[in-house]
Amino acid sequence: MKTWQLFIVLWINGFVLLGQQVNFPLEKDVKSIDGIIKAYYEVVSGPKGAPRQWERDRSLHHESAYIVFTGKKNGKSYAKPMSLKDFHKMEDPYTNGFFETEVKREIREFGNIAHVWSYYETRHSEDGEVVGAGTNSIQLYHDGNRWWIMSWIFDSLRDDNRHQYLE
């Protein structure tokens, strides 16, 4: 095969591979607690203008999963529960880039359930300065074959809870 023919074959095969549909869930995402928590952070992280990984995110969450945003506004606590579908409709954080990384984890398991306290930091770029931090409380269920995210609730780091962060 001549060089130019090999180039054309490789070029065509490259486009075929790039266009292949990925089947979710990825086994590496759901076979272990480490895998699902790693994927949990990967699906929400990305550079400015990046498409979000909603199909992969849906494959991590049980169909009945719920999410709760908590915090304080004007000195009053609030909780905003929502479905995964509602979460996916929220404002896109990739306007500035959004990278959330885990900095500490605590796991408690009992039978087919697990509770994960996951402390995080956020940045606008992968190696940028920390612009936020907080704690995710993630509830997992193992169905005998894989882990599912059943729910998560988080609270951001503030002056009134700073003493509890990374305890």
Side-chain angles (χ1 to χ4, degrees), residues 4-19:
W4 67 270
Q5 290 172 318
L6 180 61
F7 173 77
I8 289 173
V9 168
L10 292 173
W11 182 73
I12 290 170
N13 284 337
F15 277 103
V16 169
L17 289 174
L18 288 174

Side-chain angles (χ1 to χ4, degrees), residues 27-88:
E27 185 175 346
K28 68 177 184 158
D29 288 352
V30 298
K31 285 296 179 189
S32 68
I33 292 175
D34 284 341
I36 202 162
I37 297 301
K38 183 177 186 290
Y40 170 84
Y41 283 104
E42 287 176 356
V43 299
V44 298
S45 296
K48 180 179 182 175
R52 299 183 87 175
Q53 300 179 49
W54 289 151
E55 186 177 353
R56 184 179 179 202
D57 195 34
R58 282 189 294 275
S59 78
L60 304 176
H61 289 79
H62 188 273
E63 64 184 13
S64 301
Y66 68 92
I67 296 150
V68 183
F69 283 43
T70 67
K72 281 193 174 178
K73 189 171 185 175
N74 300 322
K76 293 188 177 192
S77 295
Y78 68 86
K80 182 178 179 179
M82 66 188 77
S83 68
L84 184 65
K85 190 175 184 178
D86 290 336
F87 171 67
H88 288 171

